[in-house]
Amino acid sequence: MIQLLDDNIDVMNAVRQNDNTIVLSSLREFYHPVTSKGFSIKYVIEGIERYTLNGSHYPIETGKYLLSNCASEGHVEIESNKFVKGICINIAPTMLTEIVASKNRPDTAFSDMALGQFFSSALFLENQYDAKNTHLGKTLLRLQQAILNNHLEKEDFNTEFFYTISEQIIADQIPIFRQLQAIPSIKSATKKDLFKRVSRGKEFIDATFI
């Protein structure tokens, strides 16, 4: 059994499966550089984790998560009177590439080079999401419930678990990938900035005119 909820001491439990890892944390004070060789999901169960990546700030609150890849650099900071509980999942880029290939043309490992490389490229958009609104988010919410109920074993984090997570990331990101590709700009940073501006405008309209 994996015990996460301990309001007396700081806890960081890591489980590794080949090149994939999951870290369950319960911390009041924490500061650490963000460096990843793979693809990362940072989900907050309770509290706020404050990330700075590539010069942008992401205060990730309860029920939200942040996606980043090996092109993202920065740091994370936690400072709270109460324990901040979170999940960090790191996925090997090769797993995402292989799944993209298998979905398009099973006979080759590089059926869609652009999409396969997107998840480890500078074009990938590091961004935060509401768990209620995505395929991946629904799985994170179920995982959160299992953690809160202490219904987790290390054996639950097997190859199938990371494979399912990867499939959901791809499903959520394909529309974003296509939109980024359609933006007529050479620089990745410009594409990402324009996309974020449009997305913020859409979110404002959706929130204002319900």
Side-chain angles (χ1 to χ4, degrees), residues 86-147:
I87 305 168
C88 181
I89 302 173
N90 297 301
I91 298 174
T94 52
M95 176 171 280
L96 291 166
T97 303
E98 290 169 1
I99 293 173
V100 168
S102 68
K103 296 300 180 185
N104 291 307
R105 286 183 53 196
D107 59 321
T108 173
F110 302 98
S111 59
D112 190 338
M113 185 72 75
L115 180 58
Q117 293 180 345
F118 168 64
F119 295 98
S120 58
S121 72
L123 180 60
F124 179 80
L125 182 72
E126 63 278 353
N127 205 5
Q128 63 175 315
Y129 302 88
D130 190 318
K132 299 190 297 294
N133 299 332
T134 66
H135 296 90
L136 173 61
K138 292 179 175 61
T139 294
L140 293 174
L141 288 169
R142 289 194 295 271
L143 181 59
Q144 168 183 315
Q145 197 58 45
I147 290 172

Side-chain angles (χ1 to χ4, degrees), residues 175-195:
I176 296 173
F177 167 75
R178 289 173 177 165
Q179 291 176 60
L180 285 168
Q181 290 287 83
I183 295 174
S185 174
I186 297 176
K187 293 183 178 180
S188 297
T190 304
K191 285 177 179 281
K192 291 159 69 171
D193 183 61
L194 289 172
F195 183 88

Side-chain angles (χ1 to χ4, degrees), residues 19-23 36 38-42 88-92 162:
D19 292 327
N20 307 302
T21 59
I22 181 167
V23 179
S36 175
F39 189 90
S40 185
I41 307 160
K42 308 173 193 307
C88 181
I89 302 173
N90 297 301
I91 298 174
F162 289 101

Side-chain angles (χ1 to χ4, degrees), residues 48-119:
I48 302 177
E49 296 181 1
R50 302 183 186 279
Y51 288 86
T52 299
L53 296 179
N54 298 337
S56 296
H57 303 290
Y58 302 94
I60 309 301
E61 302 176 349
T62 300
K64 305 288 181 64
Y65 66 93
L66 174 68
L67 295 183
S68 65
N69 69 358
C70 53
S72 303
E73 295 184 354
H75 64 269
V76 57
E77 184 175 1
I78 296 173
E79 187 174 349
S80 174
N81 293 327
K82 298 181 179 180
F83 283 88
V84 176
K85 300 176 174 64
I87 305 168
C88 181
I89 302 173
N90 297 301
I91 298 174
T94 52
M95 176 171 280
L96 291 166
T97 303
E98 290 169 1
I99 293 173
V100 168
S102 68
K103 296 300 180 185
N104 291 307
R105 286 183 53 196
D107 59 321
T108 173
F110 302 98
S111 59
D112 190 338
M113 185 72 75
L115 180 58
Q117 293 180 345
F118 168 64
F119 295 98

